[in-house]
């Protein structure tokens, strides 16, 4: 597994400028416009990155080569999921720091934690959906699914975020309070749902990959 | 112990059927898997490595590949027809990945091969020539104390100098009698130089699997006339070419009169004639 993670790392950071450029754009745009949405795109971006790793695997025919080495199919799939989790955690931490340091006027601490949890859960949702699709159909066909998913995410965030000048707040918080759900409980529920979904996705991917013929 | 034991291997596709294939490779030996393009060589190798599902039984070092094949592959060096390394990586990064992949990885051996093959450490894999890519694949396969090498068309598309170099390295590998090599190719002359065993695959069928020396002893080329060939007993003539000036046939030496003088047959001639007659 360590060798596989190392390979993913080298592939991902082969062109650091290309990788970091979107991150810098999100951060600069987010800070200059005080737009939380821009900052929150960071973990979403990180959640999509593992798909680019599958594209590289396809182009180089890595999977066939890797199956000649002491890696089981389950391990090959697990490496992609582990990489997704690590990237989402890293980007979520970065997002949290940004929210706390630079946008602390927009949210209360509780709202910040819930927002970060929600975005982390959302970011885990992307690889959970995209990885099985990409492993099953290949990256070209699965790209269509990505566009659909992004459109859904965009629509949801447009509805959920209410931009009124400098004061950017979720109307959703008021609704959540009206439902009687505490932000703490909701945070736990969101993260638990994301983890369960990711586990189910991993099981589906392993099953898909075990049936795959190379 | 046998390095490879295949019994009744079968794989059916919509437009191609492989097998049933029986094949045994003892340790210390090199087997050449010969066949035209599309004969089923790569499919056989893929089945052996669990890349495709197949019928029949495949055992490597006495262990069924259906078990913990990943652990089994610690002892196997695989060189596919296309070395599937990410093109942006360089040899140094690849070495670091392999160090965490194979428990018996030997960095010094790998470094020796890099310098022996003149492979630049910092150059991206995509900038390597086809021969260099193949050499890097072979360097990886030879740097983790593998007991079995499986090579799929390693010399295809390479110039004669590189091919000769690769053939010589493979020869060295089997000096240790606990090691074995299965090498597939349609360039029969390469295999003829190094193989102890020859397996002919044609249109998905195993035509023969024999010791090379026994094949060369059993078969010969007979230059005679069409009339003489017609008088020989059934099964004596494996294949023939008749012209206005005479006839040339590959014959089973045991089935022709001892007075007939035959010339040695090459594995390539034998394969071509058997494939044509099949």
């Amino acid at each position: 597994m360590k060798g596989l993670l190392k390979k993913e790392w080298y592939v991902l950071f082969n062109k650091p400028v290309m990788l970091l450029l979107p991150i810098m754009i999100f951060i600069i745009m987010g800070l200059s416009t005080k737009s939380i949405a821009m900052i929150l795109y960071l973990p979403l971006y990180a959640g999509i990155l593992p798909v680019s790793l599958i594209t590289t695997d396809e182009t180089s025919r890595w999977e066939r080569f890797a199956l000649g080495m002491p890696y089981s199919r389950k391990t090959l799939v697990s490496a992609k999921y582990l990489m997704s989790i690590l990237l989402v955690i890293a980007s979520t931490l970065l997002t949290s720091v940004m929210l706390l340091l630079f946008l602390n006027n927009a949210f209360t601490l509780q709202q910040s934690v819930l927002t970060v949890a929600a975005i982390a859960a959302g970011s885990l949702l992307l690889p959970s959906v995209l990885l099985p699709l990409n492993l099953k159909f290949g990256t070209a066909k699965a790209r269509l699914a990505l566009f659909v998913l992004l459109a859904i995410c965009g629509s949801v965030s447009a509805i959920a975020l209410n931009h009124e000048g400098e004061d950017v707040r979720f109307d959703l918080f008021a609704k959540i309070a009206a439902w009687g759900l505490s932000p703490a409980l909701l945070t736990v529920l969101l993260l638990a749902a994301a983890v369960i979904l990711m586990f189910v996705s991993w099981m589906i991917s392993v099953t898909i990959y075990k049936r795959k013929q190379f | 112990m046998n390095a490879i034991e295949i019994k009744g291997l079968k794989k059916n596709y919509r437009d191609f059927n492989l097998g049933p294939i029986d094949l045994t490779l003892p340790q210390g030996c090199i087997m050449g898997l010969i066949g035209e393009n599309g004969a089923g060589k790569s499919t056989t190798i893929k089945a052996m490595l669990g890349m495709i599902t197949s019928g029949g039984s495949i055992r490597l070092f006495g262990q069924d590949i259906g078990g913990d094949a990943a652990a089994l592959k610690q002892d196997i060096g695989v060189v596919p027809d296309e070395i599937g390394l990410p093109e942006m990586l360089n040899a140094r990064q690849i070495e670091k990945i392999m160090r965490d992949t194979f428990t018996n990885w030997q960095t010094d051996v790998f470094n020796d091969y890099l310098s022996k093959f003149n492979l630049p450490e910092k150059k991206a894999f995509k900038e390597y020539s086809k021969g260099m890519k193949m050499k890097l694949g072979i360097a990886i396969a030879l740097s983790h104390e593998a007991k079995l090498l499986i090579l799929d068309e390693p010399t295809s598309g390479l110039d004669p100098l590189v091919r000769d170099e690769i053939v010589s390295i493979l020869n060295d590998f089997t000096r240790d009698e606990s090691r074995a090599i299965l090498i597939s190719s349609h360039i029969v002359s390469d295999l003829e130089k190094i193989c102890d065993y020859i397996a002919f695959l044609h249109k998905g069928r195993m035509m023969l699997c024999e010791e090379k020396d026994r094949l060369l002893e059993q078969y010969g080329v007979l230059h005679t006339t069409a009339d003489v060939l017609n008088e020989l007993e059934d099964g004596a003539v494996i294949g023939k070419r008749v012209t206005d000036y005479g006839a040339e046939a590959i014959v089973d030496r045991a089935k022709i009169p001892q007075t007939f003088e035959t010339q040695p047959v090459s594995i390539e001639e034998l394969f071509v004639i058997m494939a044509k007659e099949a």
Side-chain angles (χ1 to χ4, degrees), chain B residues 257-268:
Chain B
Q258 286 187 342
T259 49
F260 282 23
E261 198 177 314
T262 57
Q263 289 170 346
V265 65
S266 70
I267 295 294
E268 184 156 358

Side-chain angles (χ1 to χ4, degrees), chain A:
Chain A
M1 179 63 90
K2 198 176 161 191
L4 286 177
L5 290 177
K6 212 174 243 187
K7 172 247 161 196
E8 308 292 23
W9 177 268
Y10 287 143
V11 170
L12 207 55
F13 288 93
N14 179 254
K15 285 185 179 164
V17 175
M18 296 297 284
L19 182 80
L20 296 175
L21 194 64
I23 296 174
M24 293 312 292
I25 290 172
F26 289 142
I27 292 173
I28 292 165
M29 292 288 287
L31 292 178
S32 60
T33 60
K34 294 270 180 194
S35 165
I36 287 172
M38 289 305 289
I39 302 284
L40 296 184
Y41 272 125
L42 271 175
L44 289 174
Y45 171 68
I48 294 170
L49 285 176
V51 174
S52 72
L53 295 173
I54 296 180
T55 311
T56 310
D57 287 355
E58 273 182 7
T59 322
S60 61
R61 305 188 78 183
W62 162 260
E63 292 164 305
R64 255 187 71 191
F65 192 65
L67 284 172
M69 293 193 276
Y71 291 122
S72 67
R73 291 178 181 231
K74 193 176 174 181
T75 310
L76 290 175
V77 171
S78 303
K80 292 281 181 289
Y81 276 82
L82 200 52
M83 200 65 193
S84 306
I85 292 168
L86 292 174
L87 287 168
V88 167
I89 288 173
S91 57
T92 304
L93 285 175
L94 180 64
T95 305
S96 307
V97 170
M98 303 281 294
L99 283 175
L100 287 170
L101 290 181
F102 303 109
L103 301 166
N104 52 348
N105 290 331
F107 286 165
T108 65
L109 180 66
Q110 220 174 26
Q111 285 176 336
S112 295
V113 171
L114 178 56
T115 307
V116 168
I119 204 67
S123 306
L124 286 176
L125 177 74
L126 280 170
S128 299
V129 174
L130 293 175
L131 286 177
L133 283 173
N134 279 274
L135 293 172
K136 172 76 180 168
F137 301 110
T139 49
K141 285 181 188 169
R143 199 165 293 141
L144 185 67
L146 171 67
F147 293 138
V148 173
L149 206 67
L150 282 177
I152 293 169
C153 286
S155 309
V156 169
S157 55
I159 294 165
L161 291 169
N162 180 19
H163 296 272
E164 288 178 3
E166 294 283 300
D167 189 18
V168 184
R169 287 169 191 273
F170 276 119
D171 275 342
L172 205 57
F173 290 135
K175 287 174 189 164
I176 290 162
W179 293 337
L181 280 170
S182 75
L185 178 63
L186 198 63
T187 304
V188 172
L189 283 177
L190 273 173
L191 288 174
V195 169
I196 290 168
L197 189 71
M198 183 147 241
F199 181 70
V200 171
S201 164
W202 172 77
M203 286 201 299
I204 293 169
S205 289
V206 170
T207 309
I208 289 169
Y209 213 66
K210 279 186 176 170
R211 288 180 187 162
K212 210 169 174 178
Q213 307 284 293
F214 291 93

